[in-house]
């Protein structure tokens, strides 16, 4: 669709300007609702010392601020690259209607980003991951979960 | 290990206080380096309208600010629940040495959080996901990737 290409061009332009300004890697994203851009982002990991400042996360946070909501109902997210697992997770929590992407995780791997590696790690078992994971104190933490289940004035998400 | 239980107790305490203050869901996390807590977090999704404000993300961002780095070398992340895919992705980008968790994704599912669902979605193929994904303009976006590959003054991450 022509609209998709127009909004993607904005995401790609953000990817280039952010990179050229030394803000971070070559990734850009925009969130669109009713044909209007309500959030923009480019990768800012290295310039802000924030490993979570990927283009999609930055754009989602801005769009949610704009909507005064933690949900992106009716929105489309355009990203210049297939979302990494962190960003795909963020997208699923924000729940937009649709994702449009350009490059793939393998394109990202070809310029030395870990997206494909992290997809592999997430799909492997906890005990086989490169970053060791161990479990303690489950029963203590379950007490908090029980309190949540019993809480009457909670906001679900 | 006793140390792990002590730091986990702090993460669990954060999960309870955040929930009781109506900041968000019952999740807490701390980042520890050399035996010292350098970042803390609890879920703040609903109180800040930020779907990415999970306990681990909040703690990672704070720890990175403290270290003035986008990497958590030599750090351990304690989280009161197995990280969701977004948080696990964030952890992989931050690259701490170890993850210690308490509750599991199934415990989270039992109190109606989407962690297990999102794990399933991430592992499925792009065309089978509940949030539709489509691809446009890959060749245009690859131009930015090529510029990154050729960029001489870049900071890798």
């Amino acid at each position: 669709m022509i609209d998709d290409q127009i909004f993607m061009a904005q995401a790609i332009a953000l990817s280039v300007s952010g990179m050229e300004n030394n803000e971070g890697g070559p990734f850009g994203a925009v969130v669109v609702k009713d044909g209007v851009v309500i959030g923009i982002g480019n990768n800012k990991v290295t310039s802000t010392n924030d490993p979570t400042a990927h283009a999609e996360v930055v754009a989602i946070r801005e769009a949610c601020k704009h909507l005064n909501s933690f949900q992106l109902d009716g929105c489309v997210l355009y990203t210049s690259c297939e979302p990494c697992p962190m960003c795909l997770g963020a997208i699923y929590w924000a729940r937009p209607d649709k994702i449009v992407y350009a490059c793939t995780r393998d394109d990202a791997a070809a310029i030395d980003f870990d997206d494909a590696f992290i997809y592999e790690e997430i799909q492997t078992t906890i005990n086989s991951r490169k970053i060791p994971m161990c479990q303690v104190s489950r029963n203590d933490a379950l007490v908090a979960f029980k309190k949540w289940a019993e809480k009457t004035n909670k906001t679900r998400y």
Side-chain angles (χ1 to χ4, degrees), chain A residues 121-155:
Chain A
E121 284 287 294
I122 281 185
Q123 295 179 35
T124 195
T125 59
I126 284 180
N127 294 331
S128 311
R129 294 201 178 124
K130 298 288 190 295
I131 298 181
M133 292 182 67
C134 71
Q135 187 177 30
V136 299
S137 309
R138 175 173 173 249
N139 287 339
D140 295 339
L142 278 174
V143 173
F145 279 22
K146 188 161 180 288
K147 285 186 181 178
W148 175 262
E150 293 167 351
K151 186 174 169 68
T152 52
N153 64 336
K154 64 193 170 202
T155 305

Side-chain angles (χ1 to χ4, degrees), chain A residues 40-157:
Chain A
I40 66 173
N42 59 270
N43 186 289
K44 298 180 183 180
V45 168
T46 54
S47 59
T48 64
N49 285 325
D50 180 356
T52 74
H54 283 202
E56 299 94 321
V57 167
V58 174
I60 287 169
R61 298 179 82 209
E62 185 170 301
C64 285
K65 283 273 178 286
H66 175 82
L67 294 176
N68 209 25
S69 168
F70 50 85
Q71 297 287 265
L72 293 179
D73 301 324
C75 295
V76 181
L77 182 134
Y78 294 84
T79 172
S80 68
C81 186
E82 180 188 351
C84 79
M86 174 180 75
C87 292
L88 190 60
I91 290 165
Y92 266 84
W93 287 113
R95 304 182 180 90
D97 288 4
K98 182 178 156 188
I99 303 163
V100 183
Y101 67 99
C103 293
T104 68
R105 68 182 80 174
D106 294 321
D107 294 330
I111 55 168
D112 293 330
F113 288 99
D114 275 351
D115 303 51
F117 163 69
I118 298 175
Y119 268 105
E120 290 166 14
E121 284 287 294
I122 281 185
Q123 295 179 35
T124 195
T125 59
I126 284 180
N127 294 331
S128 311
R129 294 201 178 124
K130 298 288 190 295
I131 298 181
M133 292 182 67
C134 71
Q135 187 177 30
V136 299
S137 309
R138 175 173 173 249
N139 287 339
D140 295 339
L142 278 174
V143 173
F145 279 22
K146 188 161 180 288
K147 285 186 181 178
W148 175 262
E150 293 167 351
K151 186 174 169 68
T152 52
N153 64 336
K154 64 193 170 202
T155 305
R156 296 174 189 278
Y157 58 91

